Amino acid sequence: MATFKTYSSVCTTGIAFPRNSYRKPVQAAIVPSFHLPMRSSEVKNRTSTEDIKSLRLITAIKTPYLPDGRFDLEAYDNLMNTQIVNGAEGVIVGGTTGEGQLMSWDEHIMLIGHTVNCFGGKIKVIGNTGSNSTREAIHATEQGFAVGMHAALHINPYYGKTSLNGLVSHFDSVLSMGPTIIYNVPSRTGQDIPPHIIQNLAQNLSLAGVKECVGNDRIKQYTDNGIVVWSGNDDQCHDARWGYGATGVISVVSNLVPGLIRELMFAGNNPTLNYKLLPLIDWLFHEPNPIGLNTALAQLGVVRPVFRLPYVPLRVEKRIEFVNLVKNIGREHFVGEKDVEVLDDNDFIIVRRY
């Protein structure tokens, strides 16, 4: 009868070693990463970090849909042209407002590329290529810069939160690729990015600044230390700009009234205009963004009334309220040329699969 030697299984390497044989520690089996950044040194259409730091009005642009749920590029282009004509200096493509969370990465990068190709000479295109997966954030950011975006927007890992050291490593992995805005919105991520983390990351010359949603006291803390900040809260952006040192705003409401938000950011302290806009801003965020914006743009007739689930339109009482808000502020200040109307429930198309 044949005799067989006994081997112990070592699952860390997938190799069986004879008993009592010497095996190197697990650390020695780790293969160093030879990943090189996929980036171009070609200067055409490249934007410096300093160029991004100077932007005062950045619109988190809406993504409109066709009835089957695909992108409505014709409507999107009209929205983009309206932003440019009314003085927006930059757009966030595929952010929370643009429903990047409902896009495949193919859709996401395509929309960034389309925006750069059609409008990149007139407005700065900032692609939301952040992810709670560092691997995905790296890959998407490489692709975004490869198709010509001027800067990247990056959020801290959400849901599967990491440690503070993990936050630094995550952002360090993408900062070297090009101008970057870090987005701090604890209400969505469940984790605040503390100031000392941002101050650490600010040593990297690619950090353009922070989109900050914690509040104006936090913004002041950054601006006192020379860090560029954009307010992420439309209801606080006026005071942030003129009282706390913010460079400007990354705005949702500018999808609706871009000219008035430009005036709010460029024309000096204007509490009267700010007060006039607050009821609209309150209405816009009655339900989680972008539900209010999607409903409003459909009522203004500038996008089709198509929603990708899980988003659904505001109830009819809020739609009636929006019509009154438009009349109070003045239809001429809003995007589009059609009369604002109250849409019926049956006018909306809710897309489950797309």
Side-chain angles (χ1 to χ4, degrees):
M1 179 179 295
T3 303
F4 297 95
K5 293 182 180 179
T6 303
Y7 292 86
S8 62
S9 175
V10 182
C11 63
T12 55
T13 62
I15 302 173
F17 290 89
R19 292 188 185 279
N20 301 321
S21 67
Y22 172 74
R23 180 170 63 89
K24 291 183 178 181
V26 172
Q27 294 91 322
I30 295 176
V31 179
S33 173
F34 294 106
H35 175 83
L36 296 174
M38 187 179 71
R39 63 187 177 207
S40 169
S41 58
E42 182 61 48
V43 296
K44 182 181 179 183
N45 292 333
R46 298 293 286 184
T47 297
S48 71
T49 302
E50 294 303 314
D51 289 337
I52 301 302
K53 287 182 177 182
S54 68
L55 305 178
R56 282 172 280 183
L57 173 54
I58 303 172
T59 296
I61 194 76
K62 152 74 177 168
T63 306
Y65 303 115
L66 296 168
D68 61 2
R70 290 176 299 136
F71 295 160
D72 185 345
L73 292 180
E74 184 177 4
Y76 179 81
D77 293 349
N78 288 335
L79 293 177
M80 284 295 306
N81 280 315
T82 299
Q83 291 297 317
I84 293 167
V85 167
N86 283 277
E89 299 172 300
V91 288
I92 304 292
V93 179
T96 305
T97 303
E99 300 180 21
Q101 62 275 13
L102 303 186
M103 297 178 189
S104 68
W105 279 116
D106 284 345
E107 288 181 311
H108 210 133
I109 301 302
M110 181 273 280
L111 191 60
I112 292 172
H114 172 79
T115 309
V116 172
N117 183 47
C118 295
F119 308 103
K122 300 176 182 178
I123 196 167
K124 297 303 181 187
V125 179
I126 303 161
N128 171 32
T129 53
S131 172
N132 57 351
S133 162
T134 304
R135 177 185 63 84
E136 286 192 7
I138 291 171
H139 185 61
T141 304
E142 285 178 336
Q143 291 188 324
F145 279 118
V147 300
M149 72 182 185
H150 301 116
L153 179 73
H154 279 283
I155 201 164
N156 50 310
Y158 49 90
Y159 189 72
K161 296 179 289 185
T162 185
S163 63
L164 295 183
N165 287 339
L167 284 182
V168 173
S169 295
H170 175 81
F171 290 125
D172 277 342
S173 297
V174 294
L175 273 169
S176 62
M177 297 181 192
T180 300
I181 297 173
I182 289 177
Y183 181 17
N184 186 36
V185 55
S187 63
R188 288 188 179 271
T189 64
Q191 182 183 44
D192 182 28
I193 306 174
H196 74 272
I197 296 294
I198 296 297
Q199 290 162 3
N200 181 324
L201 295 169
Q203 298 175 37
N204 191 308
L205 296 179
S206 290
L207 182 65
V210 183
K211 177 185 177 183
E212 183 58 72
C213 294
V214 166
N216 287 341
D217 289 338
R218 174 71 63 85
I219 287 174
K220 185 69 161 54
Q221 188 173 351
Y222 287 137
T223 57
D224 283 348
N225 287 281
I227 296 173
V228 170
V229 187
W230 293 269
S231 175
N233 299 325
D234 280 303
D235 60 340
Q236 298 177 356
C237 71
H238 171 268
D239 293 347
R241 172 81 173 100
W242 303 110
Y244 293 84
T247 294
V249 63
I250 297 179
S251 175
V252 177
V253 73
S254 58
N255 280 277
L256 299 175
V257 286
L260 294 182
I261 300 302
R262 179 182 169 85
E263 184 177 345
L264 211 60
M265 291 296 102
F266 282 78
N269 190 36
N270 191 339
T272 301
L273 176 58
N274 185 53
Y275 183 79
K276 183 178 181 179
L277 291 173
L278 286 177
L280 173 64
I281 295 169
D282 289 343
W283 180 91
L284 195 61
F285 295 98
H286 175 76
E287 295 285 359
N289 184 48
I291 293 170
L293 178 63
N294 293 352
T295 305
L297 289 173
Q299 289 186 245
L300 290 167
V302 294
V303 303
R304 290 180 169 87
V306 180
F307 282 68
R308 282 183 173 184
L309 279 177
Y311 300 123
V312 295
L314 292 176
R315 65 182 188 272
V316 67
E317 293 84 359
K318 300 301 290 184
R319 291 175 232 157
I320 294 171
E321 189 177 327
F322 177 68
V323 170
N324 293 328
L325 285 167
V326 172
K327 292 177 180 178
N328 290 337
I329 294 172
R331 177 64 183 90
E332 68 276 11
H333 296 299
F334 285 78
V335 297
E337 298 178 352
K338 297 179 180 179
D339 290 337
V340 63
E341 59 180 333
V342 179
L343 297 178
D344 294 330
D345 289 344
N346 292 334
D347 292 327
F348 291 95
I349 300 171
I350 310 299
V351 182
R352 295 175 173 83
R353 301 183 68 179
Y354 38 86

